[in-house]
Amino acid sequence: MLHIHGNGRQFRLPQNLAAWALASAWRGTALYPLAGPAALTGRTTVGELTGLDGDLVRHARAVAQTVRETLTEWRGRPPVSNKAAISELPAYAARDISASK
């Protein structure tokens, strides 16, 4: 589960691209922008919160690292458009998740 402030954008909290890319990859589609700090937890089969399993920890770490590297790269070579950026990050995140399985 991804826990994030429901009104983060309204309160002008900074975008959380790592959480957005991870959630978008998990859902298989680019989601609405996420803003503010995020917490990741696991969930039991009955819906209770629990710690993350090893796969989910690997997913989160890999995607966060890729987002950092991509943003660094974009400083020197920005994406051609916002649409391209919105496609690029979730694609990288999906690749990271499939590679960490």
Side-chain angles (χ1 to χ4, degrees), residues 77-90:
R77 182 203 52 86
V80 295
S81 67
N82 282 341
K83 185 176 180 179
I86 289 169
S87 298
E88 196 172 340
L89 272 179

Side-chain angles (χ1 to χ4, degrees), residues 15 17-18 20-21 66-93:
Q15 283 189 311
L17 292 176
W20 172 78
T66 294
V67 168
R68 279 191 297 271
E69 291 169 358
T70 302
L71 293 177
T72 298
E73 184 179 322
W74 283 353
R75 286 187 196 105
R77 182 203 52 86
V80 295
S81 67
N82 282 341
K83 185 176 180 179
I86 289 169
S87 298
E88 196 172 340
L89 272 179
Y92 292 158

